[in-house]
Amino acid sequence: MIVVTGATGKLGRAIVEDLLQRLPANEVVASVRDADKAKGLAARGVDVRTGDFADAGGLRKAFAGAGQVLIVSADKLGEEALQLHRTAINTAQDVGVHRILYTSHMGARPASPFLPADQHAGTEADLAASGLTYTSLRHGFYAESCLQMIGDSLRTGDL
Ligand SMILES: NC(=O)c1ccc[n+]([C@@H]2O[C@H](COP(=O)([O-])OP(=O)(O)OC[C@H]3O[C@@H](n4cnc5c(N)ncnc54)[C@H](OP(=O)(O)O)[C@@H]3O)[C@@H](O)[C@H]2O)c1
């Protein structure tokens, strides 16, 4: 059984949809902060559990029985994100998962001038230190972030 965190977000939801094409619904668990936002998944037989990286006790219940956990990185930066992801890794380890998957970023490395790359490198170091089997999914740069960064240029025509 695989637990997918962030299943009410854009990426997590798409991943759950994809898994449902490949696995029976009872093999997929959606870990969400607000179960009301995942009613549609529950109606389709997905086990929707409440889990927040900021609450290790609750997260333990969300991860219980998982063979694999996909940690979709939280939409935070810096030390806060590192701590949230650390809690998720430690909880996965506590409940005995055999593999963690984590959404990292291309170019992840310590001291990168690109803050998310430095931060994801920190979580990759935590994954390595856990001793668990893990897969770091080093995503490319989401085009939607680019739109946020160049928003004014789209209006003015100057970049
Ligand atoms: N590679 C890139 O260029 C790039 C660009 C943007 C983002 N990202 C990363 O990719 C992730 C997924 O992207 P997305 O588009 O799916 O973002 P999104 O739609 O904002 O989804 C983020 C998900 O993270 C959940 N979350 C936030 N804080 C949490 C916590 N403390 N505990 C558990 N879950 C928490 C949110 O839950 P709620 O639904 O309850 O809010 C939401 O489901 C982002 O969170 C970010 O880390 C990467």
Side-chain angles (χ1 to χ4, degrees):
M1 181 263 277
I2 181 164
V3 173
V4 179
T5 74
T8 46
K10 293 183 285 296
L11 177 66
R13 184 178 293 272
I15 291 170
V16 170
E17 291 295 343
D18 191 79
L19 285 172
L20 289 174
Q21 304 296 315
R22 300 159 190 265
L23 296 172
N26 64 5
E27 287 289 309
V28 181
V29 169
S31 173
V32 302
R33 292 195 294 184
D34 178 357
D36 279 349
K37 285 162 74 177
K39 280 181 180 161
L41 290 176
R44 290 161 63 197
V46 176
D47 186 359
V48 174
R49 302 181 185 173
T50 307
D52 188 325
F53 300 153
D55 169 21
L59 205 57
R60 209 182 153 85
K61 291 181 190 148
F63 288 2
Q68 301 185 74
V69 171
L70 168 62
I71 300 172
V72 171
S73 52
D75 48 353
K76 303 281 185 311
L77 286 176
E79 189 54 40
E80 182 183 6
L82 267 175
Q83 190 51 54
L84 291 170
H85 299 152
R86 197 169 288 145
T87 299
I89 293 165
N90 291 342
T91 305
Q93 188 164 34
D94 284 351
V95 302
V97 309
H98 67 75
R99 182 163 73 134
I100 295 177
L101 301 105
Y102 170 72
T103 59
S104 181
H105 200 288
M106 65 189 291
R109 68 177 171 86
S112 169
F114 180 55
L115 182 58
D118 175 63
Q119 173 209 298
H120 286 295
T123 296
E124 288 187 354
D126 286 340
L127 284 164
S130 76
L132 283 172
T133 300
Y134 70 93
T135 303
S136 188
L137 304 159
R138 287 186 163 182
H139 289 189
F141 189 72
Y142 295 177
E144 66 184 27
S145 308
C146 185
L147 291 177
Q148 285 166 15
M149 289 173 181
I150 65 166
D152 230 32
S153 302
L154 288 174
R155 189 177 53 76
T156 63
D158 293 327
L159 183 62

